[in-house]
């Protein structure tokens, strides 16, 4: 299996599964947001996990094209940048209204989930 296909399947299924859980059980999203914002240790672990997954994908697959392979690279860079932001600047997330964070997270999840489903369909159709 080539690297692009592996990362496409990996990120695609991770996004679909996690987004599905968070849409079916909104209380899980609320608890996760509270945990990351309130408990600094959880926020740091979440940030490091994002950095590891993003950086690992970038090192092995940094392909900038306008197709599903480019989407993998964008996901990886967003993961890396989010991890850095969460660790370096935890204060802004505490100042933002909690309901606004929940709504914006759900909107982003919907968009990313639709793109991940598209990517999975393209990979399985090839």
């Amino acid at each position: 299996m080539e690297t692009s296909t592996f990362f496409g399947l990996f990120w695609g299924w991770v996004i679909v599964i996690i987004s599905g859980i968070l849409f079916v059980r909104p209380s899980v999203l609320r608890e996760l947001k509270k945990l990351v914002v309130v408990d600094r240790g959880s926020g740091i672990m979440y940030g490091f996990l994002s950095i590891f997954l993003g950086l690992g994908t970038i090192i092995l697959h940094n392909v900038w094209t306008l197709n599903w392979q480019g989407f993998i690279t964008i996901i990886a860079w967003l993961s890396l940048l989010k991890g850095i932001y969460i660790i370096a600047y935890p204060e802004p997330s505490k100042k933002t209204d909690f309901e606004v964070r929940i709504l914006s997270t759900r909107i982003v999840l919907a968009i990313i989930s639709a793109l991940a489903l598209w990517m999975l369909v393209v990979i399985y159709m090839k």
Side-chain angles (χ1 to χ4, degrees), residues 20-68:
I21 291 169
L22 296 178
F23 274 111
V24 171
R25 300 281 315 261
S27 61
V28 174
L29 176 61
R30 288 184 179 286
E31 290 303 314
L32 181 64
K33 284 288 189 183
K34 284 180 188 174
L35 184 65
V36 170
V37 171
V38 174
D39 183 13
R40 182 73 176 125
S42 295
I44 289 171
M45 291 306 297
Y46 178 69
F48 278 125
L49 180 62
S50 293
I51 289 171
F52 291 144
L53 288 171
L55 189 59
T57 304
I58 290 167
I59 289 170
L60 294 172
H61 185 275
N62 198 18
V63 178
W64 290 96
T65 57
L66 287 174
N67 59 16
W68 63 273

Side-chain angles (χ1 to χ4, degrees), residues 68-98:
W68 63 273
Q69 294 172 327
F71 180 61
I72 295 168
T73 303
I74 291 170
I75 291 171
W77 276 101
L78 289 174
S79 178
L80 174 66
L81 294 174
K82 182 175 182 170
I84 292 169
Y85 182 78
I86 287 172
I87 292 172
Y89 301 104
E91 297 82 16
S93 64
K94 290 182 180 181
K95 294 177 185 173
T96 307
D97 181 38
F98 187 72

Side-chain angles (χ1 to χ4, degrees), residues 106-120:
R106 290 179 64 96
I107 292 169
V108 169
L109 277 175
I111 294 167
I112 298 270
S113 297
L115 291 170
L117 283 171
W118 161 77
M119 180 174 63
L120 288 171

